[in-house]
C-alpha cells in the first residue's frame, strides 16, 4: 500500500488544511493510547461467538461513543426546552465544524448533517428532477450512474428523474476489475451513449466505493472526465468512504459529496454529512422534510426536521476523541484495516484456489474474494442461501455476491470451473484473524461434505 499521504491512489486526497484548529487528519497527540484489551471492551456489546466480518453494511459504534450519546439523550429528556434553545444547534454546529476540518471543506455552511446517503441523494435528486420538469433540462438529456449503484439510490433516480422526463444511462462496472483505466473507459462509453439524439448528460452519480461488488473507483479522474464533457453536476456517493479512505472534497471536486459517519467512522446510526460546493448559490436545494427552518439554507434545514433523535449528529467530537487514541488517528485506523483486509483476503483466495476481485490498491477496508466454483453459486438466490447458511450454522456474518458469466476471455476460473460467487469481507478494528480463518474453514467444510449452494440448509 502506498505510503505517500498526498497521493493516495484510492482518491488522491491531500491532508486537510489547518483551519483555526488542528485538522483531525493531522497526526494526533495521543492523550491515552488504546490497547487491545481496551478495544475488546469498547466493542464488548457485540454478540459473542459471531465472526462479524460485515462492518460495511451497518458499521459499529464503540461503548465510549454510545456513552456520550446517552449523555446527550439524558440532557434532552431532563430539560427539553433548555436543550432545544441552548444546546442542540450549538452542538450540531460543533459537529459540522469537525467534519469541515476532517474533509478539508472551505465553509462550514457547505456541510450539512443528514440521516444517511439515501437522504442526501433525495435532497440532490429532487432539485435535478425539478430542472427536468421546468424545462431547464431537455427531455432527451440524461443522468449517468454505474449499474451497481446502491439500490436505494437507483430507486431515487427512478423516482425523481424518470417521471420528470429525464433518461438514465447505466455504466456496467467491469468486475473482476483489473485497473482504473478500464473503469474510466467504460464510463466514457456511457457518456457517449448519453449524447444520442442530441441529448446531454446533465448529472452524474458516481460511487467512491461501490457497495456490491466493492471497488474503490477513481473518482477524481471520473469527475475530470465529466468536467471535460460538460456534465452540469456530479454527486459522489461516498457512503463507505469516511474512515475508510482519505476524503478531501477540494481535491475530489464534486458538486455534492456524501458519506455515512456510522459505517466506518464509529458513529451510532444514523448520521451522514453532505458537502455541497458553494452552497450559498444553491437556493433550490432543500431537505425533503419541510420544517420551520425552510429557506434558511440546507445546513439549517437539516439541523431541525421536527422532534426526533439528534444525538447521532452530536457525538462527532466524541468520535474524534476515540479515533485519536490510536497511533496515527483515523489515518492509522484506515491503514490498519486496509492492510488487514488485504492480508486476510489473500489468505482466503490462496486457501480456496481463487482470486481477489480487484487489485489491493483498489480496495479500502472491504475486499471481494472469489468462492470455489464447486460451490455452484449460479444465482442471487444461491448467494443468499450461502450467506444465511453461514450465519445460522457457522455463526459467520459475511455478504455474498453472484456474478454472472459475461465474457469467457475475462471470466475468472479456478481448477474446477468458472468463478461466479464472491464474499465481501470487511476489516474493522474489533476483528481478529480468527474471524477469517473461521470463514475459510466453513467453506472448506461445505466442500468436503460434497454440498453445493442449492443443497445447503438455511434454517
Amino acid at each position: 500500500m502506498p505510503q505517500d499521504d498526498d497521493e493516495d491512489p484510492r482518491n488522491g486526497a491531500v491532508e486537510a488544511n489547518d483551519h483555526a484548529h488542528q485538522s483531525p487528519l493531522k497526526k494526533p497527540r495521543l492523550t491515552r493510547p488504546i490497547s487491545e484489551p481496551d478495544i475488546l471492551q469498547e466493542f464488548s456489546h457485540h454478540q459473542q461467538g459471531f465472526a462479524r466480518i460485515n462492518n460495511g453494511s451497518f458499521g459499529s459504534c464503540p461503548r465510549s461513543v454510545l456513552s456520550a450519546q446517552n449523555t446527550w439523550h439524558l440532557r434532552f429528556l431532563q430539560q427539553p426546552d433548555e436543550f432545544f434553545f441552548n444546546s442542540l444547534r450549538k452542538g450540531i454546529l460543533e459537529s459540522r465544524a469537525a467534519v469541515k476540518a476532517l474533509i478539508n471543506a472551505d465553509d462550514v455552511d457547505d456541510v450539512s448533517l443528514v440521516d444517511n446517503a439515501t437522504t442526501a441523494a433525495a435532497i440532490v435528486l429532487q432539485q435535478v428532477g425539478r430542472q427536468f420538469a421546468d424545462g431547464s433540462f431537455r427531455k432527451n438529456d440524461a443522468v449517468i450512474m454505474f449499474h451497481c449503484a446502491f439500490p436505494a439510490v437507483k430507486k431515487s433516480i427512478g423516482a425523481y428523474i424518470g417521471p420528470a422526463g429525464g433518461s438514465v444511462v447505466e455504466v456496467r462496472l467491469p468486475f473482476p476489475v483489473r485497473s482504473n483505466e478500464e473503469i474510466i473507459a467504460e464510463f466514457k462509453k456511457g457518456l457517449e451513449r448519453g449524447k444520442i439524439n442530441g441529448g446531454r448528460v446533465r448529472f452524474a452519480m458516481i460511487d467512491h466505493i461501490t457497495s456490491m461488488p466493492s471497488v474503490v473507483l477513481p473518482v477524481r479522474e471520473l469527475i475530470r472526465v465529466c468536467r471535460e464533457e460538460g456534465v452540469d453536476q456530479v454527486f459522489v456517493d461516498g457512503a463507505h468512504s469516511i474512515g475508510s479512505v482519505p476524503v478531501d472534497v477540494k481535491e475530489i471536486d464534486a458538486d455534492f459529496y456524501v458519506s455515512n459517519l456510522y459505517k466506518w467512522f464509529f458513529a451510532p446510526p444514523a448520521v451522514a454529512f453532505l458537502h455541497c460546493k458553494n452552497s450559498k448559490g444553491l437556493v433550490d436545494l432543500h431537505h425533503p422534510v419541510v420544517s420551520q427552518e425552510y429557506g434558511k439554507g440546507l445546513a439549517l434545514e437539516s439541523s431541525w426536521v421536527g422532534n426526533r433523535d439528534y444525538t447521532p449528529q452530536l457525538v462527532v467530537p466524541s468520535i474524534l476523541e476515540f479515533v485519536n487514541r490510536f497511533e496515527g488517528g483515523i489515518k492509522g485506523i484506515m491503514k490498519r484495516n486496509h492492510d488487514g483486509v488485504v492480508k486476510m483476503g489473500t489468505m482466503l483466495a490462496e486457501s480456496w484456489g481463487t482470486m481477489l476481485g480487484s487489485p489491493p490498491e483498489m480496495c479500502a477496508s472491504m475486499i471481494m474474494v472469489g468462492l470455489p466454483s464447486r460451490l455452484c453459486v449460479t444465482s442471487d438466490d444461491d448467494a443468499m442461501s450461502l450467506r444465511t447458511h453461514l450465519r445460522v450454522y457457522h455463526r459467520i456474518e459475511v455478504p455474498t455476491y453472484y456474478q454472472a458469466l459475461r465474457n469467457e476471455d475475462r471470466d475468472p476460473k479456478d481448477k474446477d470451473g468458472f468463478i461466479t460467487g464472491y464474499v465481501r469481507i470487511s476489516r474493522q478494528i474489533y476483528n481478529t484473524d480468527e474471524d477469517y480463518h473461521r470463514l475459510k474453514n466453513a467453506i472448506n467444510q461445505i466442500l468436503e461434505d460434497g454440498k453445493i449452494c442449492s443443497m445447503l440448509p438455511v434454517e
Side-chain angles (χ1 to χ4, degrees):
M1 181 178 176
Q3 298 300 304
D4 185 354
D5 292 333
D6 291 342
E7 279 300 327
D8 189 299
R10 295 172 292 163
N11 79 346
V14 298
E15 285 193 344
N17 290 336
D18 191 354
H19 307 286
H21 62 278
Q22 185 185 40
S23 162
L25 276 183
K26 291 183 179 295
K27 188 173 182 179
R29 182 171 61 251
L30 295 179
T31 54
R32 184 167 66 86
I34 198 163
S35 65
E36 292 303 319
D38 289 336
I39 295 174
L40 290 175
Q41 177 60 27
E42 286 280 6
F43 296 96
S44 60
H45 52 289
H46 286 184
Q47 185 173 351
Q48 299 300 301
F50 258 85
R52 181 171 165 159
I53 47 181
N54 182 29
N55 191 83
S57 286
F58 301 104
S60 52
C61 185
R63 279 186 177 275
S64 55
V65 176
L66 291 172
S67 176
Q69 181 187 25
N70 188 55
T71 298
W72 282 109
H73 269 138
L74 290 175
R75 286 181 63 180
F76 169 71
L77 294 172
Q78 287 167 349
Q79 174 48 295
D81 290 87
E82 192 280 333
F83 179 85
F84 175 78
F85 286 106
N86 299 323
S87 299
L88 178 60
R89 183 171 292 186
K90 184 189 304 182
I92 290 178
L93 180 60
E94 185 178 355
S95 289
R96 287 170 48 216
V99 171
K100 166 187 171 289
L102 189 71
I103 64 175
N104 196 24
D106 276 330
D107 192 332
V108 72
D109 288 337
D110 294 341
V111 178
S112 302
L113 296 182
V114 297
D115 283 349
N116 46 45
T118 303
T119 302
I123 289 170
V124 175
L125 287 169
Q126 66 179 357
Q127 64 96 21
V128 178
R130 283 195 294 269
Q131 292 178 85
F132 277 103
D134 67 15
S136 299
F137 297 162
R138 295 176 297 179
K139 295 297 183 183
N140 55 343
D141 289 343
V143 168
I144 192 170
M145 65 178 174
F146 283 94
H147 85 281
C148 55
F150 193 66
V153 173
K154 294 180 76 170
K155 292 284 189 181
S156 292
I157 289 176
Y160 289 108
I161 305 304
S167 61
V168 179
V169 176
E170 288 197 18
V171 177
R172 181 155 292 279
L173 178 74
F175 185 81
V177 64
R178 298 166 183 162
S179 68
N180 286 331
E181 288 69 28
E182 60 185 3
I183 296 174
I184 296 168
E186 289 300 314
F187 189 75
K188 287 181 176 179
K189 292 177 186 176
L191 289 172
E192 289 302 313
R193 295 201 304 274
K195 298 177 184 178
I196 294 175
N197 299 323
R200 286 180 53 189
V201 176
R202 295 289 193 164
F203 182 85
M205 174 74 69
I206 300 173
D207 296 274
H208 196 159
I209 304 172
T210 56
S211 177
M212 189 67 89
S214 180
V215 178
V216 179
L217 301 190
V219 287
R220 285 199 306 169
E221 291 80 0
L222 293 172
I223 292 171
R224 188 177 301 123
V225 170
C226 287
R227 303 302 186 204
E228 292 169 356
E229 293 294 324
V231 177
D232 291 66
Q233 292 181 324
V234 181
F235 180 108
V236 172
D237 182 354
H240 288 277
S241 297
I242 196 72
S244 186
V245 293
V247 175
D248 185 319
V249 294
K250 290 182 187 174
E251 286 289 309
I252 294 170
D253 193 34
D255 298 285
F256 308 100
Y257 191 105
V258 63
S259 191
N260 293 320
L261 296 175
Y262 60 85
K263 283 187 181 287
W264 294 98
F265 199 65
F266 304 106
V271 58
F273 76 82
L274 172 59
H275 176 263
C276 305
K277 187 168 66 172
N278 302 322
S279 63
K280 290 183 174 65
L282 301 172
V283 294
D284 60 343
L285 201 67
H286 299 288
H287 197 284
V289 178
V290 177
S291 76
Q292 64 203 40
E293 303 297 342
Y294 182 83
K296 297 180 182 178
L298 181 62
L300 282 182
E301 288 185 17
S302 301
S303 70
W304 181 258
V305 292
N307 193 12
R308 48 153 291 176
D309 182 12
Y310 293 92
T311 58
Q313 298 185 15
L314 294 166
V315 296
V316 175
S318 299
I319 296 169
L320 289 172
E321 290 179 12
F322 173 74
V323 300
N324 285 341
R325 293 179 61 194
F326 290 80
E327 183 64 37
I330 193 60
K331 281 191 171 183
I333 292 172
M334 289 190 291
K335 184 178 188 311
R336 167 183 173 141
N337 289 341
H338 172 77
D339 291 351
V341 83
V342 170
K343 176 185 173 184
M344 290 296 99
T346 301
M347 178 274 294
L348 291 171
E350 290 176 351
S351 173
W352 297 335
T354 61
M355 80 310 161
L356 301 178
S358 67
E361 62 271 17
M362 295 181 72
C363 81
S365 301
M366 302 184 292
I367 198 165
M368 305 297 292
V369 185
L371 288 163
S373 63
R374 283 198 292 147
L375 284 174
C376 296
V377 182
T378 60
S379 66
D380 291 331
D381 287 343
D382 284 346
M384 184 56 69
S385 293
L386 176 60
R387 178 175 183 172
T388 304
H389 177 81
L390 289 171
R391 180 191 307 119
V392 173
Y393 288 89
H394 297 274
R395 298 174 69 81
I396 297 168
E397 191 60 71
V398 64
T400 51
Y401 177 70
Y402 166 65
Q403 171 73 42
L405 297 177
R406 304 193 183 279
N407 183 336
E408 287 195 7
D409 293 332
R410 181 184 183 86
D411 292 328
K413 294 181 178 180
D414 60 16
K415 63 182 179 62
D416 298 304
F418 286 106
I419 296 170
T420 55
Y422 296 81
V423 288
R424 186 193 76 184
I425 62 170
S426 297
R427 183 84 184 209
Q428 187 50 286
I429 55 173
Y430 55 79
N431 286 120
T432 65
D433 288 356
E434 175 59 25
D435 294 332
Y436 308 90
H437 284 281
R438 282 179 60 181
L439 175 60
K440 174 194 72 176
N441 294 336
I443 296 297
N444 289 341
Q445 185 63 55
I446 292 171
L447 294 175
E448 289 174 13
D449 292 342
K451 298 288 183 63
I452 62 174
C453 284
S454 60
M455 300 166 54
L456 293 174
V458 294
E459 56 183 40

